[in-house]
Amino acid sequence: MRSLFFTPLLVAVSAFAPLAFGACSQATLTGGFALSGSPMDYDVEDIPVTHSVGRLTFDGKGGITSASIRQGAGGEGVSFTARGNYTLAANCQGTGTMTLSSDGVPVSNVSLQFVVSGTPSQPQISMLISAPNDGITTLARLSKISI
């Protein structure tokens, strides 16, 4: 069974998220963000429970890249790079797509749905990352890297 419970939850969180922004735009997201992700589909047979960590970089113009996303399950892990695009509406809700590659070979296309909260200097992102062809959805939290 695929878990769709969290999509309404993300919308509900976005309605009440404390926004210190007057309005968001693509330029709201610039620089590096630490990513921590956990799976939402715990009851899918034959798909190992995976967890993800990494760094996403937003260019403030609609581009996303990552030199390192590490995903692990069952004591093993794999590293990915990522490249994609995003849009961010004035209400601080956004969407995007990314292509994940391993050793330079594209291995998965993912869709992104997210909401930005926090302050202009420390934006926080709550994100759903879905790989429809792989049957996987992950809930991720991204925090601005300021060090």
Side-chain angles (χ1 to χ4, degrees), residues 60-128:
K61 300 175 185 176
I64 309 169
T65 58
S66 178
S68 177
I69 298 173
R70 184 85 176 152
Q71 188 175 64
E76 298 188 18
V78 63
S79 293
F80 299 100
T81 58
R83 182 169 299 280
N85 298 295
Y86 71 95
T87 60
L88 185 59
N91 67 358
C92 298
Q93 293 182 20
T95 60
T97 59
M98 288 191 312
T99 298
L100 302 179
S101 298
S102 181
D103 295 324
V105 177
V107 294
S108 184
N109 292 311
V110 298
S111 62
L112 313 172
Q113 296 178 339
F114 60 93
V115 62
V116 179
S117 62
T119 66
S121 64
Q122 287 297 338
Q124 302 291 310
I125 304 171
S126 296
M127 181 180 285
L128 288 175

